[in-house]
């Protein structure tokens, strides 16, 4: 079991299998960005599996595959299948923009993936194109239907409400989630890189005060994943709302996760610079014991909290470089 300096159990690893994406969401990547990691510096899927297997041995049970867009990484289902065969008690999930999901949904389900989170910020074609830089709404909706048909349940829709951009779309998105039995999640934008700092997100704590009486929401104790979201359910159980509030109501005291980037760097916190590189030692032929010891050392670097409010200009890397 991994315990950090502040007594938090670290049992959740978010794995960025690529920093590439086929979209350019305004709060994540700037237009024309080309500073992606060179493929020769990507961990191979075998190298990733070694790292993940060591985390598993050290007590990690929750693994989320992210990007960029994870479905741009070839043969990803094979890594998921190896993790499923390693331990059937693992919670294996993925965050995707769903543009490639219609092709991969069935294979992902068969590989042993448990859950899907899909990024979708509006149901208006022009708004989606404004945010993502791509006319992709129909692809995303087709991917969602494919995921349902493949047998995925409790699919979460991740929406980042931006003032003056898509905040008028919140209630249509809620209606969409109720219709399709999706879990609606809203996420406060984080000031990471120039794009994150330039985006004006809504205070979700205040928004909840408006939504709760209208939809008769009551706080839910149901466990719907290992992440930081807090959930509310309507009194008729037909609607579930999750909120992730790193800015208005941070959850640092219960943070249980770290991130592995595609180049093999462990990041302890989105809002701090602390990192621990693993790629060089992997390629130098380290033993599993050495790798496990390095992971334990890395956990010691995890900070108590982020500095997004105190030092909003501190983190210059973009979200895609760390992993979502």
């Amino acid at each position: 079991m991994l315990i950090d300096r502040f007594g938090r159990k670290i049992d959740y690893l978010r794995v960025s299998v690529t920093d590439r994406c086929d979209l350019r969401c305004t709060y994540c990547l700037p237009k024309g960005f080309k500073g992606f990691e060179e493929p020769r510096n990507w961990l191979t899927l075998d190298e990733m599996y070694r790292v993940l297997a060591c985390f598993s041995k050290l007590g990690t049970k929750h693994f989320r595959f992210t990007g960029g867009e994870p479905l741009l990484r070839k043969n990803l289902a094979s890594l998921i299948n190896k993790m499923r065969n390693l331990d059937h008690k693992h919670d294996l999930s993925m965050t995707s923009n769903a543009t490639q999901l219609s092709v991969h949904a069935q294979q992902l389900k068969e590989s042993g993936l448990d859950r899907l989170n899909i990024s979708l910020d509006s149901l208006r074609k022009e708004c989606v194109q404004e945010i993502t830089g791509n006319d992709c709404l129909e692809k995303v909706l087709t991917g969602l239907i494919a995921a349902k048909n493949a047998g995925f349940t409790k699919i979460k829709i991740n929406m980042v409400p931006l003032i003056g951009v898509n905040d008028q779309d919140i209630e249509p998105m809620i209606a969409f989630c109720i219709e399709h039995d999706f879990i609606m999640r809203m996420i406060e934008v984080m000031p990471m890189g120039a794009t994150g700092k330039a985006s004006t997100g809504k205070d979700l704590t205040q928004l909840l005060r408006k939504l709760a009486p209208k939809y008769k929401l009551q706080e839910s104790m149901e466990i719907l994943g290992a992440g930081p979201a807090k959930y509310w359910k309507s009194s008729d159980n037909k609607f579930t709302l999750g909120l992730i509030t790193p800015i208005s109501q941070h959850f640092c005291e219960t943070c249980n996760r770290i991130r592995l980037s595609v180049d093999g760097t462990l990041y302890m916190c989105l809002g701090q610079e602390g990192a621990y590189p693993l790629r060089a030692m992997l390629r130098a032929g380290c033993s599993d014991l050495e790798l496990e010891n390095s992971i334990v050392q890395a956990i010691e670097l995890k900070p108590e909290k982020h500095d997004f409010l105190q030092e909003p200009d501190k983190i210059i890397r973009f979200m895609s470089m760390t992993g979502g």
Side-chain angles (χ1 to χ4, degrees):
M1 185 178 295
L2 294 168
I3 306 291
D4 73 4
R5 293 174 296 152
F6 305 98
R8 297 171 296 198
K9 182 172 70 172
I10 310 303
D11 60 0
Y12 181 7
L13 181 67
R14 297 177 67 98
V15 185
S16 177
V17 296
T18 179
D19 61 346
R20 309 296 173 99
C21 191
D22 52 348
L23 304 181
R24 291 291 181 276
C25 294
T26 54
Y27 49 78
C28 184
L29 280 175
K31 292 181 180 179
F33 178 76
K34 296 181 180 178
F36 298 107
E37 188 60 71
E38 292 293 330
R40 67 175 179 273
N41 293 329
W42 296 356
L43 291 190
T44 66
L45 295 184
D46 285 341
E47 289 170 334
M48 281 188 178
Y49 176 71
R50 278 198 69 195
V51 176
L52 272 55
C54 284
F55 268 96
S56 176
K57 189 175 179 181
L58 292 166
T60 301
K61 292 298 182 184
H62 306 280
F63 297 88
R64 175 170 294 278
F65 300 96
T66 71
E69 171 47 46
L71 293 179
L72 296 181
R73 186 72 188 257
K74 293 181 179 179
N75 301 318
L76 178 57
S78 65
L79 175 60
I80 296 169
N81 187 249
K82 288 176 72 174
M83 288 301 296
R84 173 55 65 220
N85 290 331
L86 179 66
D87 188 340
H88 281 268
K89 294 182 180 179
H90 283 153
D91 172 41
L92 304 179
S93 58
M94 177 182 292
T95 297
S96 170
N97 63 31
T99 59
Q100 315 289 319
L101 192 55
S102 63
V103 176
H104 297 285
Q106 190 64 48
Q107 185 183 29
L108 291 172
K109 187 64 178 176
E110 292 172 358
S111 72
L113 189 71
D114 294 307
R115 297 181 292 109
L116 280 167
N117 289 12
I118 304 302
S119 300
L120 179 61
D121 292 314
S122 176
L123 295 171
R124 291 183 295 121
K125 179 180 178 180
E126 64 276 14
C127 183
V128 171
Q129 186 161 1
E130 178 185 353
I131 292 173
T132 68
N134 192 298
D135 182 10
C136 63
L137 179 59
E138 288 305 315
K139 285 184 179 180
V140 175
L141 296 179
T142 300
L144 278 167
I145 297 304
K148 288 183 69 174
N149 291 341
F152 285 101
T153 59
K154 295 187 176 181
I155 296 171
K156 297 172 183 173
I157 304 297
N158 289 344
M159 179 186 188
V160 180
L162 303 171
I163 295 174
V165 179
N166 67 336
D167 51 345
Q168 71 271 41
D169 299 323
I170 291 172
E171 295 205 31
M173 287 286 286
I174 290 174
F176 173 74
C177 289
I178 292 173
E179 178 187 356
H180 292 279
D181 198 26
F182 295 144
I183 295 170
M184 173 78 173
R185 300 207 314 173
M186 288 186 282
I187 305 171
E188 290 178 343
V189 69
M190 287 174 276
M192 293 186 65
T195 53
K197 289 193 285 287
S199 300
T200 305
K202 289 188 75 69
D203 181 325
L204 298 186
T205 302
Q206 291 186 10
L207 180 62
L208 177 63
R209 297 190 187 106
K210 296 180 180 179
L211 295 178
K214 181 169 184 176
Y215 294 95
K216 299 179 180 179
L217 298 175
Q218 300 172 346
E219 191 166 0
S220 172
M221 296 297 107
E222 184 180 1
I223 297 174
L224 295 171
K230 292 184 178 180
Y231 290 94
W232 285 260
K233 276 185 173 292
S234 61
S235 57
D236 60 6
N237 286 321
K238 292 182 178 180
F239 174 52
T240 301
L241 173 68
L243 299 182
I244 299 179
T245 56
I247 305 303
S248 68
Q249 199 172 61
H250 75 76
F251 34 80
C252 299
E253 68 277 3
T254 59
C255 183
N256 64 337
R257 61 206 159 278
I258 63 173
R259 289 165 169 80
L260 175 68
S261 70
V262 69
D263 70 352
T265 303
L266 290 174
Y267 287 98
M268 308 302 124
C269 174
L270 285 176
Q272 296 283 5
E273 295 290 2
Y276 196 105
L278 298 177
R279 186 182 71 235
M281 63 181 301
L282 283 165
R283 296 188 176 175
C286 68
S287 66
D288 284 351
L289 180 58
E290 290 171 323
L291 186 54
E292 290 168 23
N293 288 337
S294 292
I295 291 170
V296 172
Q297 291 174 25
I299 298 300
E300 289 296 302
L301 301 176
K302 188 168 176 62
E304 184 177 12
K305 58 186 179 66
H306 67 65
D307 287 333
F308 283 138
L309 296 178
Q310 297 88 343
E311 299 182 66
D313 298 324
K314 183 174 183 178
I315 303 300
I316 60 173
R317 64 180 184 266
F318 299 109
M319 177 69 82
S320 67
M321 298 169 67
T322 307

